[in-house]
Amino acid sequence: GAMAARRAPRAQAAGGIRALFGGGRAAQRREGEAQLRALLQGTGRGRRAGGPRLQMIDEAVQALEALGGRRQPARDGSLEGRWDVLFTTERDTQAFMALPLESLYQEVDVGSGRLSNNIVVKEGLLGLRAEAPWSVRAPDSITYFFDKFILTLLGLPLA
């Protein structure tokens, strides 16, 4: 499934979508980012996106990618950090979006070769962390399969 994300404020490098699609054409990139964010509004992180809107979102992402930028984001370390999930078509993740979410984010640790998807329900009452080793599939994409799941209640892991 597709996923759009922006680097969370606490991440090491600045820039959101710009961090992945850096390079020239800054004004076009800023306009493309604004258009994409406008298209994502009201979609419930993708849960309520479909038909023409989904196609428009895909076209906006492709337009940003066409502007160039980092040629090998999966290999150059720019994926490192915490990323807020703005949009996903992953059904497993969308199942949780009916809950009152406080945050939904992905953490990528380049050094350990692991990533995690994190879902936190309002006020930290309930959380789910799914962890996976990841590997480079192509210069601009990674592949991963979750091998560890941690459910938390009030911030404490349930064993």
Side-chain angles (χ1 to χ4, degrees):
M3 186 178 294
R6 70 173 167 80
R7 193 177 298 265
R10 292 178 289 279
Q12 293 177 349
I17 296 170
R18 269 188 298 278
L20 293 180
F21 303 108
R25 306 182 206 166
Q28 287 178 304
R29 208 173 33 258
R30 281 191 300 274
E31 178 64 26
E33 290 172 18
Q35 289 175 356
L36 179 58
R37 286 194 176 102
L39 287 168
L40 295 176
Q41 287 183 348
T43 66
R45 292 186 173 116
R47 189 169 56 95
R48 294 185 299 272
R53 184 127 182 220
L54 192 55
Q55 183 176 347
M56 290 170 52
I57 290 167
D58 188 51
E59 289 170 1
V61 169
Q62 289 177 26
L64 278 171
E65 289 173 343
L67 292 175
R70 297 186 187 273
R71 297 202 189 287
Q72 298 188 17
R75 292 190 174 131
D76 70 8
S78 60
L79 296 180
E80 176 79 29
R82 176 181 162 153
W83 296 82
D84 290 331
V85 175
L86 303 178
F87 180 86
T88 182
T89 58
E90 293 291 334
R91 295 282 180 219
D92 294 342
T93 303
Q94 286 183 341
F96 290 93
M97 291 187 202
L99 300 172
L101 296 185
E102 179 176 308
S103 60
L104 173 59
Y105 61 95
Q106 185 172 76
E107 293 176 305
V108 179
D109 185 333
V110 172
S112 71
R114 290 190 66 82
L115 64 77
S116 65
N117 282 356
N118 300 273
I119 300 168
V120 181
V121 177
K122 191 173 181 168
E123 299 176 12
L125 296 175
L126 184 67
L128 177 63
R129 179 179 178 95
E131 298 181 359
W134 64 272
S135 61
V136 175
R137 178 175 44 196
D140 62 350
S141 68
I142 62 173
T143 186
Y144 56 91
F145 296 95
F146 294 112
D147 62 0
K148 183 176 181 181
F149 299 89
I150 303 166
L151 184 62
T152 61
L153 181 62
L154 300 173
L156 302 172
L158 299 175

